[in-house]
Amino acid sequence: MPTTVMDARTPAPAAAPRHWAIVGGGMLGLTLAYRLSQAGEKVTVLEAAPSLGGLASAWQVGDVTWDRYYHVTMLSDARLRALLEELGLEQDVRWSVTKTNFYTGSSMHALNNSIDYIRLPVLGLIDKARLAATIIYGSRIENGRPLEQLSAEAWLTRLSGKTTYQNLWRPLLRSKLGNNYAKASAAYIWSVIRRFYAARRGGLKTEMFGYVPGGYRRILATLAEKLQAGGVTLETGMPVTAVTSSGNGFQVTAGEDVRHFDRVVNTCASPIATKVCAGLNDRERLQHEDILYQGIVCASLLLDRSLGGAYLTYITDETIPFTTVIEMSTLIDRVETGGRHLVYLPKYLPLDDPLLGASDEEVEAAFVPALLRMFPGLARENIKSFKVTRTRHVLAVSTLNYSEKLPPMATSIPGLYIVNSAQIVNGSLSVDESVNLANEASAFLIATEQVPTGTAAK
Ligand SMILES: Cc1cc2nc3c(=O)[nH]c(=O)nc-3n(C[C@H](O)[C@H](O)[C@H](O)COP(=O)(O)OP(=O)(O)OC[C@H]3O[C@@H](n4cnc5c(N)ncnc54)[C@H](O)[C@@H]3O)c2cc1C
């Protein structure tokens, strides 16, 4: 709740230090606040939810508190690991080798080594060799921007062949993007291949995933302490409804509360940012509106038995209503989950999909029978808790020529910035990329603000 109150009609005194409002207290907004405060700026974070963290926040399922959405850290997450180091948490990260399954044609297959891969049905040996070559080739491409000119479908068909595209890539793309799969550029799938391949120790071999004991709840609490120690004001339960130019700064409205800030950075998804920020010109508004978002519905389940030991089950069977199965407790210590087995069933969805508006009971009715079908040893009685979270604007799909169409961080209104995860180009949605974006944005904001207002670089 508010800890500082200023009258909106009173302009900030000329000699007062510059005061920034960061709208959105997810990992991006918090890291940005951290960097700006390290640069000597005065910062207040305004977060709509009752707690910080956004997609990375924790919640309670049964008597277990863990991340609302599943999160792992990868060995290659250099920017996130550097932040964890600054927070004194990096040495606590626990790394594990995880197992992977592949569910296709109504049957489950292990996918942990080259032999599993050779045995995998659906594809012949030549197709498998082309698929492996596609992954190795994709993982070696450093700059994904040229791939924005090609559709994922065209690129994957060319590299892996028609059969592999139809039987494997297309169902995987569809499970993540729904009918938007046809609009995704090759850069989208390249960024996914690159992130996952980087976690492997070699070829199509074992993966190393990590987590901080205590999960993101602990990371966020440590980050919040560090921010407050550095003078940052953190306010939760503050849904910002308007940001309006006022004198040399901005009037920021959150519920009944109206404040004056000198600079504002909105880190929310584009549809929220443009709704809240008054006075944007048509061009930038259209640029934001043009971004194609996917939503997500994600169920957390507590089971009294394991599903079998794989962290991740890829699904190409289009009769299954969720995207993957994540058995988190194969990675994290079961002390974290009170001895239960924590499983996530995510479903990424286009924004017009009715499942985004479905009740927990409706999601349960759609998901549980499919899970029981996939894991015949599992019975309904083994499911001790089932809870659903949903977010509308989660993933900005990298469409054709994506980075050329993206709005810049600086808006046409001097001192007002929109910095959000849609601006992650050349990478997939991850905390590592969010931290990187915050690092880059803070450097840009500081440099821009050294230029007299009105001549700021865009
Ligand atoms: C299912 C899933 C799995 C994931 N798995 C991983 C993983 O394994 N590893 C990994 O590194 N990353 C993972 N990620 C990605 C990671 O969660 C994101 O990259 C990161 O959390 C994004 O942070 P953000 O601050 O940009 O966005 P958000 O977390 O969405 O933060 C935006 C914040 O703005 C707030 N807000 C919205 N409107 C307003 C308003 N009007 N006023 C004030 N505040 C407002 C929201 O409440 C929210 O807190 C995963 C994401 C999902 C969805």
Side-chain angles (χ1 to χ4, degrees), residues 23-29 46-49 53-56 69-72 195 238-240 268 272 276 296 348 394 421 429-432 434:
V23 182
M27 281 304 292
L28 173 59
L46 300 170
E47 165 56 44
L55 297 174
Y69 294 108
Y70 49 94
H71 280 80
V72 290
R195 177 164 163 79
M238 295 290 280
V240 171
C268 305
I272 302 170
V276 161
I296 189 168
Y348 282 90
V394 165
S421 61
L429 182 72
S430 71
V431 177
D432 184 59
S434 304

Side-chain angles (χ1 to χ4, degrees), residues 10-166:
T10 316
R18 199 163 43 188
H19 193 177
W20 294 74
I22 308 266
V23 182
M27 281 304 292
L28 173 59
L30 293 174
T31 311
L32 187 52
Y34 186 34
R35 299 296 177 224
L36 288 175
S37 72
Q38 284 174 320
E41 304 288 329
K42 184 177 177 199
V43 186
T44 294
V45 176
L46 300 170
E47 165 56 44
S51 57
L52 297 169
L55 297 174
S57 60
W59 72 342
Q60 195 169 339
V61 188
D63 50 9
V64 171
T65 302
W66 197 254
D67 306 350
R68 189 160 67 101
Y69 294 108
Y70 49 94
H71 280 80
V72 290
T73 301
M74 294 191 174
L75 279 173
S76 52
D77 286 348
R79 290 75 55 104
L80 169 58
R81 291 177 65 190
L83 176 67
L84 293 177
E85 181 78 51
E86 288 176 71
L87 300 179
L89 295 174
E90 218 279 329
Q91 73 281 4
D92 290 2
V93 179
R94 295 205 186 155
W95 298 102
S96 296
V97 171
T98 57
K99 290 187 177 157
T100 304
N101 277 343
F102 199 85
Y103 187 79
T104 183
S106 301
S107 60
M108 190 71 79
H109 305 273
L111 188 56
N112 297 310
N113 51 43
S114 314
I115 295 178
D116 288 346
Y117 183 65
I118 289 166
R119 282 194 188 136
L120 196 67
V122 185
L123 301 177
L125 273 181
I126 292 172
D127 288 330
K128 281 178 187 158
R130 282 184 79 177
L131 174 62
T134 304
I135 294 171
I136 293 166
Y137 171 71
S139 71
R140 291 191 177 153
I141 297 174
E142 289 293 324
N143 180 7
R145 293 227 179 159
L147 294 176
E148 289 180 4
Q149 290 161 25
L150 274 177
S151 71
E153 177 169 9
W155 189 63
L156 291 169
T157 307
R158 194 172 75 200
L159 292 176
S160 298
K162 258 191 184 154
T163 313
T164 306
Y165 179 75
Q166 288 300 338

Side-chain angles (χ1 to χ4, degrees), residues 6-7 10 35 65 104 118 122 137 151 171 185 227 235 246 317 326 344 405 441:
M6 282 173 68
D7 186 336
T10 316
R35 299 296 177 224
T65 302
T104 183
I118 289 166
V122 185
Y137 171 71
S151 71
S185 78
L227 285 169
E235 298 185 24
S246 153
D317 186 321
I326 310 282
Y344 294 88
K405 298 184 290 188

Side-chain angles (χ1 to χ4, degrees), residues 65-369:
T65 302
W66 197 254
D67 306 350
R68 189 160 67 101
Y69 294 108
Y70 49 94
H71 280 80
V72 290
T73 301
M74 294 191 174
L75 279 173
S76 52
D77 286 348
R79 290 75 55 104
L80 169 58
R81 291 177 65 190
L83 176 67
L84 293 177
E85 181 78 51
E86 288 176 71
L87 300 179
L89 295 174
E90 218 279 329
Q91 73 281 4
D92 290 2
V93 179
R94 295 205 186 155
W95 298 102
S96 296
V97 171
T98 57
K99 290 187 177 157
T100 304
N101 277 343
F102 199 85
Y103 187 79
T104 183
S106 301
S107 60
M108 190 71 79
H109 305 273
L111 188 56
N112 297 310
N113 51 43
S114 314
I115 295 178
D116 288 346
Y117 183 65
I118 289 166
R119 282 194 188 136
L120 196 67
V122 185
L123 301 177
L125 273 181
I126 292 172
D127 288 330
K128 281 178 187 158
R130 282 184 79 177
L131 174 62
T134 304
I135 294 171
I136 293 166
Y137 171 71
S139 71
R140 291 191 177 153
I141 297 174
E142 289 293 324
N143 180 7
R145 293 227 179 159
L147 294 176
E148 289 180 4
Q149 290 161 25
L150 274 177
S151 71
E153 177 169 9
W155 189 63
L156 291 169
T157 307
R158 194 172 75 200
L159 292 176
S160 298
K162 258 191 184 154
T163 313
T164 306
Y165 179 75
Q166 288 300 338
N167 294 348
L168 188 130
W169 288 118
R170 185 177 163 281
L172 287 176
L173 283 170
R174 269 183 71 93
S175 76
K176 188 96 183 224
L177 301 177
N179 285 337
N180 287 334
Y181 83 94
K183 297 179 189 158
S185 78
Y188 165 76
I189 195 72
W190 161 80
S191 69
V192 176
I193 290 174
R194 217 170 122 81
R195 177 164 163 79
F196 273 80
Y197 194 83
R200 290 168 189 264
R201 291 194 297 217
L204 285 163
K205 291 188 189 153
T206 43
E207 288 174 347
M208 288 284 280
F209 286 167
Y211 74 100
V212 172
Y216 264 86
R217 180 168 65 144
R218 179 159 164 233
I219 296 174
L220 287 160
T222 312
L223 182 53
E225 263 173 40
K226 192 93 172 171
L227 285 169
Q228 283 166 324
V232 175
T233 304
L234 301 173
E235 298 185 24
T236 53
M238 295 290 280
V240 171
T241 49
V243 175
T244 321
S245 294
S246 153
N248 277 339
F250 299 90
Q251 194 167 283
V252 175
T253 310
E256 299 286 292
D257 207 273
V258 184
R259 321 271 185 87
H260 182 92
F261 291 94
D262 304 310
R263 303 287 180 267
V264 175
V265 188
N266 197 321
T267 69
C268 305
S270 288
I272 302 170
T274 50
K275 197 168 153 203
V276 161
C277 297
L280 298 174
N281 66 34
D282 288 347
R283 183 166 183 272
E284 56 201 347
R285 205 164 271 287
L286 279 176
Q287 281 176 313
H288 281 283
E289 281 167 11
D290 214 30
I291 296 170
L292 180 66
Y293 275 94
Q294 288 285 107
I296 189 168
V297 165
C298 184
S300 290
L301 287 75
L302 282 184
L303 310 179
D304 63 6
R305 51 151 291 174
S306 168
L307 290 179
Y311 170 77
L312 175 62
T313 300
Y314 291 109
I315 299 169
T316 58
D317 186 321
E318 296 193 24
T319 65
I320 302 297
F322 35 84
T323 307
T324 41
V325 178
I326 310 282
E327 187 169 354
M328 182 53 77
S329 40
T330 61
L331 174 68
I332 62 176
D333 195 314
R334 295 243 315 281
V335 169
E336 305 277 6
T337 56
R340 299 273 196 219
H341 301 263
L342 174 62
V343 171
Y344 294 88
L345 304 178
K347 177 66 184 170
Y348 282 90
L349 298 159
L351 298 186
D352 58 1
D353 194 300
L355 196 64
L356 261 179
S359 65
D360 282 22
E361 291 70 28
E362 287 166 328
V363 175
E364 187 171 351
F367 282 16
V368 169

